[in-house]
Amino acid sequence: MTLQTELQINITINNYTPREGSYSADHDYILLDTLGGCSYSNLFRNDLKNLKIKTWNRTECKVLYLPEYGTQSPAILVRVPASKISQTTKLILEVHDKSTTFTSTLTTGGEVLMFDANHDTYSDFFMDYSGLSISNDSTDGGKFLRARYVPSIDGSAPTSLFTKIASGASLSNNRVTVARFKRINGCVNTNDNATYHGTTTGTNMMQMDYNLTTYQIDRKVTSLNWDGQKSYLMFKGTETLVQVNSNDAYASDVDSQGNYKQYHFHGRISKGFSSDSDYLEGFDRNNPTKIYDNSYHEVEIAPQWFLTDEFEEYNYVDLKWLLIFPSPILAANAIPQITVTEKKSKTGIRLYKGSHEYPKAYKGSTLLWDANDETMDDTGLHIPDKIINHDWDWVF
């Protein structure tokens, strides 16, 4: 195992909202699904398992390696200490020789839930019903889970992938759901905060090919329940669906039914976290609905209606894996811009105007503290007058 080089991961979050005291965890999870497409990818293994991720003070971050599939590139879920995250988070990417194989250090089954059709028993994760089946997968020699729309006479049977392990996570920590499909097409509904045969306010995506319904209207649309619609099917074929759900309480009270909160809702569905990924985003501010729950429910992915306009076959989705994790940073903020660059060894103050750095504006290499070692008087940060009041963006 030989360290080949060190790179720098830059995670820029526009309109960054720092954590508040209501968040319980001391870390955040960030999905890095753009590493395989960076200009340094020739240094990476096909499965990214020769990469380690560390904070700037060399603390190793726990990671989960997520496999590539079809046209979907491999990804890494990384757990980063909350204290190390800002509007311009920087991480160290250690690249080891390609013969090295690291294994995941992030354990699933606690905060991070994952179903992998290649290895896991689906009945441990999903409600079991006649529309589910495991099939062999010619793409990677593994398996996939098929969920087929199965209409029931009395409407009592589930007609979807409906988890049974995702309830109970705190609403304040927000939720990210990532599903990678061998096939997703036609008429599909997803809800990341679902109750069995009921509705709960969550991030809800509905994709409808009206040619495959009893309406037979020449229209295809993908919509988000909070303000957002595209006049085509966003998810078609081998795709990765990302759903981000943020619940931000702006009021709380108690009535005869118990304690309740009222929330700002922020939802997003997309094909990934890259800046050019196709996505829909919506908000519902000052929602007056009283919500007595304080935790999330289950995740539902529901194929609906028919596969063809002859109505002889029902719609279906083929799932490779499903990942659920809490992340205030991804849920409450805009899509992060993630880039990989050469590692910069600069210390001290870096000055920007917009995206342009002015390296000659400040030549000092360390922060200037003027403090008495014994009394600690005057512990303020002293900066030369010549660079003050120039509307810089300061980076430490």
Side-chain angles (χ1 to χ4, degrees):
M1 181 176 68
T2 304
L3 178 64
Q4 301 283 9
T5 187
E6 288 185 332
L7 301 172
Q8 180 173 302
I9 300 175
N10 310 290
I11 305 170
T12 302
I13 306 171
N14 295 325
N15 303 317
Y16 172 63
T17 302
R19 278 174 169 267
E20 296 178 357
S22 61
Y23 295 123
S24 59
D26 60 358
H27 50 261
D28 279 322
Y29 297 95
I30 300 175
L31 183 65
L32 303 175
D33 63 345
T34 57
L35 296 181
C38 80
S39 58
Y40 301 92
S41 60
N42 62 306
L43 302 175
F44 306 163
R45 288 171 54 103
N46 289 337
D47 55 10
L48 304 184
K49 290 186 177 180
N50 65 326
L51 307 181
K52 280 189 175 183
I53 297 173
K54 296 184 177 181
T55 64
W56 212 250
N57 64 349
R58 299 288 173 175
T59 299
E60 185 171 343
C61 298
K62 290 188 175 182
V63 299
L64 178 66
Y65 297 102
L66 299 168
E68 65 179 342
Y69 184 73
T71 58
Q72 306 298 293
S73 61
I76 296 179
L77 181 67
V78 54
R79 191 173 80 172
V80 183
S83 60
K84 303 299 180 183
I85 293 176
S86 65
Q87 186 165 335
T88 54
T89 300
K90 298 185 186 302
L91 301 173
I92 295 174
L93 181 64
E94 285 190 353
V95 182
H96 293 257
D97 60 277
K98 288 188 176 182
S99 62
T100 300
T101 305
F102 294 131
T103 58
S104 299
T105 54
L106 185 59
T107 303
T108 58
E111 282 190 330
V112 178
L113 302 172
M114 184 173 182
F115 166 76
D116 185 343
N118 282 353
H119 309 292
D120 297 321
T121 303
Y122 73 81
S123 59
D124 292 339
F125 292 81
F126 299 98
M127 293 183 185
D128 197 3
Y129 75 103
S130 59
L132 296 184
S133 62
I134 283 284
S135 303
N136 292 321
D137 188 350
S138 58
T139 301
D140 67 349
K143 297 179 182 297
F144 61 86
L145 174 63
R146 173 163 291 179
R148 184 181 294 275
Y149 170 68
V150 180
S152 60
I153 296 176
D154 60 1
S156 62
T159 61
S160 55
L161 284 168
F162 207 115
T163 63
K164 61 180 185 181
I165 43 81
S167 294
S170 172
L171 285 174
S172 66
N173 280 332
N174 304 317
R175 171 182 274 183
V176 180
T177 302
V178 185
R180 182 157 287 184
F181 296 94
K182 177 182 177 68
R183 178 193 187 276
I184 179 173
N185 209 342
C187 307
V188 181
N189 185 74
T190 65
N191 184 0
D192 64 2
N193 187 20
T195 52
Y196 184 69
H197 282 298
T199 57
T200 305
T201 301
T203 299
N204 191 294
M205 182 271 287
M206 183 173 69
Q207 177 167 286
M208 194 64 68
D209 183 346
Y210 285 94
N211 288 301
L212 307 180
T213 72
T214 53
Y215 311 118
Q216 288 186 278
I217 303 171
D218 185 16
R219 189 160 69 95
K220 298 180 181 182
V221 63
T222 303
S223 62
L224 181 65
N225 58 325
W226 298 313
D227 186 32
Q229 181 170 297
K230 296 201 172 182
S231 57
Y232 55 88
L233 302 186
M234 282 177 61
F235 301 96
K236 189 173 183 180
T238 303
E239 300 282 4
T240 299
L241 165 67
V242 179
Q243 289 192 212
V244 181
N245 189 345
S246 174
N247 297 282
D248 176 22
Y250 69 90
S252 62
D253 207 339
V254 60
D255 61 15
S256 59
Q257 298 183 56
N259 296 323
Y260 69 84
K261 291 184 178 181
Q262 293 166 297
Y263 290 91
H264 304 304
F265 298 121
H266 176 196
R268 184 167 65 246
I269 59 159
S270 67
K271 292 186 175 182
F273 283 107
S274 60
S275 59
D276 59 351
S277 112
D278 200 0
Y279 71 95
L280 279 169
E281 194 163 13
F283 303 85
D284 188 357
R285 297 190 62 81
N286 299 324
N287 187 289
T289 304
K290 297 177 181 179
I291 296 178
Y292 297 90
D293 293 330
N294 56 19
S295 60
Y296 281 107
H297 296 279
E298 299 296 333
V299 173
E300 181 181 22
I301 304 171
Q304 302 177 61
W305 302 106
F306 303 91
L307 180 62
T308 74
D309 58 9
E310 297 298 324
F311 306 142
E312 82 283 7
E313 190 174 355
Y314 297 118
N315 197 12
Y316 63 93
V317 296
D318 293 336
L319 181 72
K320 284 302 295 183
W321 51 258
L322 178 73
L323 180 67
I324 304 169
F325 58 93
S327 182
I329 191 172
L330 292 181
N333 296 283
I335 295 177
Q337 308 296 304
I338 300 171
T339 57
V340 177
T341 60
E342 295 289 339
K343 180 175 174 290
K344 298 176 181 177
S345 59
K346 296 178 182 179
T347 59
I349 297 174
R350 296 170 60 199
L351 301 173
Y352 288 81
K353 278 192 176 181
S355 61
H356 183 73
E357 182 179 4
Y358 290 81
K360 295 182 180 180
Y362 179 59
K363 297 181 180 179
S365 60
T366 59
L367 299 180
L368 304 176
W369 292 89
D370 183 12
N372 184 298
D373 290 338
E374 294 180 0
T375 65
M376 292 302 293
D377 290 337
D378 188 13
T379 57
L381 175 63
H382 292 257
I383 301 174
D385 291 338
K386 65 180 180 179
I387 65 169
I388 294 177
N389 298 326
H390 283 279
D391 295 323
W392 305 105
D393 297 318
W394 306 80
V395 179
F396 295 90

